[in-house]
């Protein structure tokens, strides 16, 4: 595909003393379409050339020549050099590239040879997989796919919360009342009940609390009975979680949770001790971070057991060695911002190369709020993700029963739309914003939603079906797409890869989600303003090809967000 920005940078570099790369970096895409497709600000040159930007721009405009017919006109506005690309060149290069690459359109090799570790989802064993984990799963899943598409080698890690003192409590509760509960049938709910009950008992009776601590210690030491029960909890919980992952179609490359690091934490403690960084504080062992204006990072609790932070430190050592990562990403809610700051700061002392410790990135996100009010995470009042996803599907089923009762394979389609709506809703805003969870908004087929995007995709499909043929790219007369609506669609298609790069660089899937809505909307205008079928053959072919291209990019983009496209709806 022709890189127009590159071409412009090349030509400007011939006329001024500034490197092509630097020029490339300065060239902008104006937000106002009327200001051209690309714009070069001449202010940067004013000082070295001792001339007014406006004059520099005027002179450059006279000197620049482009070999191919790619520039329609160049205009000078307030010290900016605005370039207007020949529409036909946009159309030709974009559609040709699309026809060559098909589902690989937008793929890049920029990440080749670079490893990315993405830590996401990470629910806690024996606790509900709640809506808070939805965001981590969905945001992490999208980032994983986008990076993979850009050529990076990604390892998705589900750092399960399967360790810690709470397991000592669960074991104690199970020992006492295990038989009273239907753990096999309904593991998470029943284990939660046991957990609440034992917690209450601990508050009343200090000796019970003591027994719980003892259990965790035994677990850490490999006591067969404790390990067996713990394993049972873990397996039953994972089976439950898998239902959610199946609905979301999410997979992981590694399931190494916190427990995996049980025998790897002593190294962390040793290194920190050796460096004299472990201070005792109220009986606990901590790393002082007061110089960085943070509370201390707790490495060992008063009773000698390890912490969430210690396990994360051990995981950093392990991931650096095992995956030789270019970047290690962590997707959790913003409640853990301080935790990761402390851990990343402490990790600088683990004798790891800076290329690792400088590339630990926390990707925080905001809370989910129900439209009716705050979503409580307190026991008994948690909305389970599996129920929520199933509700999305049944709500879509109901809508379809009304709108299109004769549709075949309704269940399958409802699943794609329902799940897609939840995912899209989660990814449509900058991740740090709190998300409002409202069924009517996310299931609105005319809104800026997943279902709308899917609906437009299905439109492109049915148009091509009606035409009963697919034009050949060799036969397309690119000049036939000359109206404003068509060109707008083409320019959006042209920019797809750049959107993916921005989304990856900022760890912001919403950049892709919003792009897909813009693409769907601009296709809708194109469709309303132009007759597609029944036009003169060349015009019809060109418009059909554009229709096909939009469908293709909508699908590729949606899949990268983790959303499946239905063929009809
Ligand atoms: N299990 C944790 C939670 O539910 C999230 C773990 C995130 N990953 C990590 N390496 N700390 O809050």
């Amino acid at each position: 595909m022709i890189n127009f920005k590159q071409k412009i940078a090349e030509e400007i570099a011939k006329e001024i003393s500034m490197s092509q790369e630097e020029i490339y970096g300065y060239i902008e895409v104006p937000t106002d379409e009327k200001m051209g497709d690309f714009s070069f600000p001449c202010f940067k040159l004013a000082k070295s050339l001792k001339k007014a930007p406006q004059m520099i721009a005027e002179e450059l405009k006279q000197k620049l020549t482009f070999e191919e017919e790619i520039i329609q006109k160049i205009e000078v506005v307030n010290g900016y050099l605005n370039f207007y690309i020949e529409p036909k060149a946009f159309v030709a290069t974009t559609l040709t590239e699309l026809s060559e690459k098909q589902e690989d359109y937008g793929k890049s090799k920029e990440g080749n040879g670079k490893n990315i570790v993405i830590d996401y989802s990470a629910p806690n064993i024996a606790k509900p997989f709640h809506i808070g984990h939805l965001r981590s799963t969905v945001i992490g899943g999208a980032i994983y796919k986008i990076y993979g598409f850009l050529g990076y080698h990604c390892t998705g890690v589900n750092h399960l919360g399967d360790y810690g003192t709470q397991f000592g409590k669960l074991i104690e509760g199970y020992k006492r009342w295990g038989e009273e509960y239907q753990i096999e049938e309904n593991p998470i709910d029943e284990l939660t009940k046991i957990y609440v009950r034992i917690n209450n008992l601990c508050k009343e009776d200090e000796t019970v609390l003591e027994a719980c601590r003892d259990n965790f210690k035994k677990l850490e030491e490999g006591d067969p009975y404790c390990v067996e029960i713990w394993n049972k909890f873990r397996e039953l919980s994972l089976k439950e979680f898998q239902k959610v992952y199946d609905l979301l179609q999410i997979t992981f490359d590694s399931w190494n949770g916190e427990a995996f690091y049980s025998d790897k934490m002593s190294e962390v403690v040793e290194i920190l001790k050796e460096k004299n960084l472990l201070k005792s504080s109220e009986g606990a062992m901590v790393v002082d971070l007061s110089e960085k204006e943070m509370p201390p990072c707790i490495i060992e609790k008063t009773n000698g057991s390890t912490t969430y932070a210690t396990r994360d430190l051990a995981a950093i050592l392990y991931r650096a060695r095992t995956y030789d990562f270019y970047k290690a990403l962590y997707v959790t809610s913003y409640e853990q911002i301080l935790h990761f700051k402390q851990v990343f700061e402490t990790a600088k002392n683990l004798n790891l190369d800076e290329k690792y410790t400088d590339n630990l990135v926390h990707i925080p996100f905001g809370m989910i709020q129900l439209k009716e009010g705050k979503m409580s995470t307190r026991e008994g009042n948690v909305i389970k993700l599996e129920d929520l996803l199933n509700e999305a599907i049944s709500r879509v089923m109901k809508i379809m029963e009304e709108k299109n009762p004769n549709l075949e394979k309704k269940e399958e389609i409802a699943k794609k739309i329902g799940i897609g709506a939840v995912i899209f809703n989660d990814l449509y805003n900058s991740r740090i914003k709190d998300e409002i969870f409202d069924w009517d908004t996310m299931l609105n087929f005319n809104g800026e939603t997943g279902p709308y995007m899917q609906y437009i995709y299905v439109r492109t499909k049915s148009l091509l079906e009606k035409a009963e043929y697919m034009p050949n790219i060799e036969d397309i007369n690119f000049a036939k797409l000359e109206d404003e609506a068509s060109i707008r669609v083409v320019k959006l298609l042209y920019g797809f890869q750049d959107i993916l790069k921005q989304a990856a660089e900022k760890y912001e899937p919403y950049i892709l989600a919003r792009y897909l809505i813009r693409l769907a909307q601009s296709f809708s205008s194109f469709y309303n303003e132009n007759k597609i079928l029944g036009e003169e053959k060349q015009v019809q072919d060109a418009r059909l090809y554009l229709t096909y291209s939009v469908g293709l990019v909508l699908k590729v983009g949606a899949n990268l967000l983790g959303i499946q496209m239905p063929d009809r709806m």
Side-chain angles (χ1 to χ4, degrees):
M1 195 152 68
I2 301 175
N3 185 341
F4 294 115
K5 198 166 157 181
Q6 185 71 34
K7 293 264 176 208
I8 293 169
E10 269 169 35
E11 288 310 317
I12 297 177
K14 287 181 192 162
E15 306 300 335
I16 62 172
S17 56
M18 192 190 263
S19 77
Q20 203 175 297
E21 282 108 65
E22 203 175 345
I23 296 169
Y24 189 89
Y26 287 137
I27 298 176
E28 305 163 2
V29 175
T31 34
D32 181 359
E33 282 171 41
K34 291 189 196 80
M35 302 307 260
D37 299 302
F38 298 97
S39 178
F40 179 65
C42 294
F43 311 97
K44 319 274 175 198
L45 300 167
K47 216 173 157 194
S48 62
L49 296 179
K50 298 200 178 78
K51 270 186 207 164
Q54 181 77 5
M55 208 149 110
I56 301 171
E58 292 287 359
E59 285 176 15
L60 265 176
K61 182 187 165 180
Q62 300 309 321
K63 287 188 202 155
L64 292 176
T65 50
F66 288 85
E67 270 172 38
E68 293 139 279
E69 284 177 26
I70 58 169
I71 302 292
Q72 185 184 47
K73 62 177 176 184
I74 307 175
E75 273 176 6
V76 174
V77 181
N78 299 330
Y80 282 91
L81 207 47
N82 293 340
F83 296 85
Y84 296 76
I85 305 294
E86 188 63 57
K88 212 173 86 187
F90 254 128
V91 178
T93 190
T94 306
L95 297 193
T96 309
E97 175 88 0
L98 261 153
S99 83
E100 278 167 17
K101 300 277 170 71
Q102 297 292 332
E103 308 257 319
D104 285 345
Y105 179 73
K107 250 193 191 166
S108 139
K109 295 196 168 113
E110 73 163 46
N112 282 11
K114 293 185 179 133
N115 300 319
I116 306 259
V117 178
I118 309 180
D119 178 321
Y120 66 110
S121 193
N124 303 314
I125 298 294
K127 287 197 189 159
F129 190 144
H130 60 76
I131 188 162
H133 289 119
L134 167 75
R135 297 215 75 190
S136 176
T137 310
V138 167
I139 295 170
I143 292 175
Y144 177 92
K145 292 198 179 84
I146 294 169
Y147 268 91
F149 203 68
L150 294 177
Y152 294 84
H153 177 262
C154 297
T155 304
V157 183
N158 196 345
H159 187 84
L160 293 166
D162 56 2
Y163 222 51
T165 39
Q166 74 269 27
F167 286 94
K169 289 186 177 167
L170 269 173
I171 291 170
E172 189 57 30
Y174 182 77
K175 263 196 227 167
R176 289 171 182 251
W177 321 297
E179 263 137 47
E180 294 173 37
Y181 294 86
Q182 269 67 52
I183 298 180
E184 309 280 339
E185 282 101 273
N186 200 357
I188 309 272
D189 287 346
E190 298 292 281
L191 287 172
T192 307
K193 283 183 203 157
I194 295 184
Y195 189 70
V196 174
R197 189 167 164 192
I198 190 77
N199 245 339
N200 287 334
L201 192 59
C202 283
K203 275 175 217 153
E204 287 166 21
D205 189 342
E206 185 71 24
T207 59
V208 179
L209 187 62
E210 214 37 64
C212 295
R213 287 190 182 134
D214 198 44
N215 286 334
F216 182 58
K217 213 153 174 237
K218 279 197 199 144
L219 179 65
E220 288 208 288
E221 287 158 8
D223 172 84
Y225 178 72
C226 288
V227 172
E228 189 194 312
I229 303 179
W230 171 82
N231 246 324
K232 182 174 165 154
F233 293 165
R234 192 177 191 269
E235 262 159 41
L236 288 171
S237 301
L238 282 184
K239 227 161 100 192
E240 284 274 299
F241 295 165
Q242 193 55 46
K243 292 183 197 159
V244 175
Y245 294 133
D246 285 344
L247 283 170
L248 292 172
Q249 300 204 20
I250 287 274
T251 57
F252 298 93
D253 304 298
S254 162
W255 292 80
N256 289 338
E258 292 183 40
F260 176 76
Y261 300 98
S262 59
D263 62 350
K264 297 175 180 60
M265 285 179 280
S266 53
E267 185 184 357
V268 173
V269 176
E270 283 313 310
I271 298 174
L272 295 174
K273 244 189 214 149
E274 228 167 74
K275 294 198 162 173
N276 229 348
L277 289 170
L278 276 190
K279 304 269 173 304
S280 112
S281 159
E282 291 162 36
M285 296 303 263
V286 307
V287 174
D288 179 49
L289 297 172
S290 56
E291 249 179 53
K292 299 283 168 187
E293 283 163 32
M294 282 185 252
C297 184
I298 302 171
I299 303 296
E300 265 183 21
K301 292 190 188 165
T302 332
N303 67 353
S305 59
T306 53
T307 67
Y308 179 52
T310 328
R311 291 188 273 285
D312 261 327
L313 288 165
I316 290 172
L317 276 181
Y318 179 82
R319 290 173 190 177
R321 290 168 185 161
T322 312
Y323 306 116
D324 180 29
F325 61 75
Y326 166 72
K327 271 181 187 163
L329 314 177
Y330 297 80
V331 188
T332 81
S333 92
Y334 60 56
E335 288 171 309
Q336 298 196 33
I337 287 179
L338 178 62
H339 164 76
F340 283 105
K341 269 194 179 162
Q342 292 173 303
V343 166
F344 295 167
E345 192 54 42
T346 309
K348 289 182 186 162
N349 302 301
L350 295 181
N351 301 332
L352 281 173
D353 195 301
E354 274 174 20
K355 73 172 176 182
Y356 299 123
T357 49
D358 286 350
N359 287 299
L360 300 164
V361 186
H362 181 219
I363 302 176
F365 54 78
M367 299 297 190
I368 300 192
Q369 290 181 9
L370 285 181
K371 200 182 168 197
E372 297 84 55
K374 203 171 149 50
M375 190 171 294
S376 173
T377 50
R378 235 174 294 130
E379 258 81 25
N381 197 11
V382 198
I383 294 181
K384 274 201 290 174
L385 195 42
E386 189 194 339
D387 297 344
L388 184 118
L389 293 175
N390 283 321
E391 179 164 354
I393 298 170
S394 62
R395 279 178 184 252
V396 174
M397 266 308 259
K398 229 196 237 145
I399 299 174
M400 288 195 325
E401 295 287 1
E402 281 163 25
K403 285 194 176 168
N404 197 353
N406 299 323
L407 193 67
E408 278 171 43
K409 296 196 190 155
K410 242 181 279 170
E411 277 94 27
E412 196 187 309
I413 295 169
K415 202 165 154 183
K416 288 180 175 169
I417 300 176
I419 303 282
V422 174
I423 296 179
F424 195 87
N425 181 60
D426 205 348
L427 296 177
Y428 196 57
N429 288 303
S430 163
R431 60 187 148 69
I432 203 71
K433 273 199 188 166
D434 283 352
E435 174 187 331
I436 309 289
F437 195 96
D438 172 38
W439 288 118
D440 294 336
T441 312
M442 74 177 89
L443 292 176
N444 180 354
F445 282 55
N446 296 312
E448 298 178 357
T449 62
Y452 172 72
M453 176 183 73
Q454 288 166 324
Y455 169 71
I456 296 293
Y457 170 75
V458 168
R459 273 307 253 298
T460 67
K461 282 257 157 195
S462 58
L463 253 164
L464 286 156
E465 241 165 65
K466 245 192 232 153
E468 290 179 343
Y469 77 101
M470 175 68 201
N472 270 326
I473 186 75
E474 293 82 24
D475 303 334
I476 304 291
N477 180 348
F478 300 119
K480 296 290 175 186
L481 294 174
E482 55 189 353
D483 63 289
E484 223 174 277
S486 305
I487 297 297
R488 184 165 311 128
V489 174
V490 170
K491 285 184 180 175
L492 278 170
L493 293 173
Y494 177 86
F496 182 51
Q497 189 183 66
D498 194 49
I499 290 289
L500 296 179
K501 288 184 177 173
Q502 284 179 41
E505 192 182 282
K506 301 197 169 103
Y507 315 109
E508 284 284 17
Y510 88 87
I511 294 175
L512 174 56
R514 298 216 163 209
Y515 164 85
L516 293 172
I517 289 297
R518 278 204 307 279
L519 182 59
Q521 286 169 340
S522 68
F523 177 77
S524 179
S525 318
F526 157 79
Y527 178 84
N528 289 334
E529 283 164 33
N530 292 298
K531 210 164 111 194
I532 297 177
L533 299 180
E535 271 291 344
E536 177 242 319
K537 185 78 168 49
Q538 282 207 339
V539 175
Q540 173 168 307
D541 280 359
R543 289 182 182 163
L544 270 179
Y545 208 89
L546 188 62
T547 301
Y548 167 74
S549 304
V550 168
L552 185 73
V553 172
L554 283 177
K555 185 173 181 185
V556 172
N559 289 169
L560 288 174
L561 294 178
I563 296 171
Q564 308 301 315
M565 290 298 210
D567 284 334
R568 45 188 88 238
M569 63 197 268

